[in-house]
């Protein structure tokens, strides 16, 4: 008899553990992608809010996946001429191939809200494996999330990894001269919603 009473609880627990698909909220004020350059000669941060895609997350099983796209042509450093150069074929070729895609291939839970994520990064027609650290935090829908323009539950995702420019066909003399680092830290911070 006791096992029969436990059955509904077990069924409910397994229903709650199902993976949920979250879509990146199309809100410029909550999403940000940055790539930072810091050298002895030139410092700048390239920024955009143009990120889209989906994150699948199961908070009970602590598993998930991500399929994200950043519009590289929208990256801005605050200097229009430098931005124009970055979009050219000499640099990232964003004028012809603006999409930067990240697709996870493995997600490992670490602790708290922290995960280790392995995935593929595609840019300038080149795909490479990257390993990143990620923070994932789920907030059930409430007055604050709704006031921010988020319709359903809010999934905050922050992913950080390093991009080696030469791996993606960037061989500009500014990299060789030390004005721009060959390896840039990149961070993607976004809010996704299940509605």
């Amino acid at each position: 008899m006791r096992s029969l009473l436990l059955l509904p609880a077990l069924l409910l627990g397994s229903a709650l553990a199902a993976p949920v698909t979250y879509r990146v909220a199309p809100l410029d004020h909550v999403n940000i992608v940055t790539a930072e350059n810091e050298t002895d000669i030139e410092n700048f941060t390239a920024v955009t809010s143009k990120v889209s895609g989906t994150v699948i997350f199961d908070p009970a099983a602590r598993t998930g996946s991500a399929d994200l796209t950043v519009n590289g042509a929208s990256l801005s450093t605050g200097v229009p001429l430098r931005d124009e150069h970055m979009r050219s074929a000499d640099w990232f070729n964003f004028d012809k191939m603006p999409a930067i895609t990240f697709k996870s291939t493995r997600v490992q839970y670490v602790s708290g809200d922290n995960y280790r994520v392995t995935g593929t990064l595609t840019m300038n027609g080149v795909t490479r494996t990257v390993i990143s650290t990620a923070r994932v935090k789920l907030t059930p829908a409430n007055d604050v999330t709704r006031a921010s323009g988020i319709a359903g539950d809010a999934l905050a995702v922050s992913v950080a990894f390093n991009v080696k420019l030469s791996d993606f066909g960037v061989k500009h003399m500014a990299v060789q001269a030390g004005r721009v680092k060959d390896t840039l830290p990149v961070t993607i911070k976004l809010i996704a919603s299940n509605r």
Side-chain angles (χ1 to χ4, degrees):
M1 181 71 168
R2 183 176 174 185
S3 59
L4 288 176
L5 292 174
L6 289 175
L7 185 60
L10 291 172
L11 291 175
L12 180 60
S14 63
L16 293 174
V20 176
T21 299
Y22 297 84
R23 299 201 184 293
V24 176
L27 303 169
D28 290 348
H29 68 281
V30 297
N31 302 318
I32 187 166
V33 179
T34 61
E36 296 185 49
N37 178 65
E38 183 178 342
T39 69
D40 294 336
I41 303 167
E42 187 172 5
N43 301 313
F44 63 83
T45 301
V47 180
T48 184
S49 62
K50 303 303 181 192
V51 57
S52 60
T54 57
V55 177
I56 297 172
F57 184 58
D58 185 334
R62 294 188 169 122
T63 60
S65 63
D67 187 346
L68 305 173
T69 300
V70 175
N71 181 342
S74 68
L75 283 161
S76 172
T77 65
V79 178
L81 185 59
R82 179 168 53 207
D83 298 345
E84 184 181 324
H85 289 164
M86 281 179 34
R87 293 190 304 268
S88 72
D90 287 345
W91 280 95
F92 297 103
N93 205 22
F94 290 146
D95 284 335
K96 289 188 178 174
M97 291 186 277
I100 304 168
T101 61
F102 174 78
K103 295 182 181 184
S104 64
T105 55
R106 185 174 184 201
V107 176
Q108 298 170 276
Y109 175 69
V110 177
S111 66
D113 298 325
N114 302 305
Y115 295 80
R116 177 181 166 92
V117 180
T118 303
T120 57
L121 182 70
T122 301
M123 181 171 64
N124 195 21
V126 179
T127 300
R128 297 276 189 244
T129 298
V130 294
I131 298 172
S132 63
T133 57
R135 183 179 174 275
V136 181
K137 177 97 172 150
L138 178 61
T139 302
N142 59 50
D143 291 341
V144 175
T145 59
R146 285 186 286 274
S148 296
I150 302 162
D153 297 341
L155 188 70
V157 179
S158 177
V159 181
F161 50 90
N162 291 318
V163 175
K164 188 171 182 182
L165 302 185
S166 56
D167 284 350
F168 293 90
V170 178
K171 298 182 173 51
H172 195 276
M173 59 183 287
V175 176
Q176 297 166 1
R179 278 182 52 210
V180 177
K181 276 191 172 178
D182 188 32
T183 301
L184 301 179
V186 173
T187 303
I188 302 173
K189 295 180 182 181
L190 60 88
I191 304 292
S193 174
N194 60 346
R195 289 190 198 155

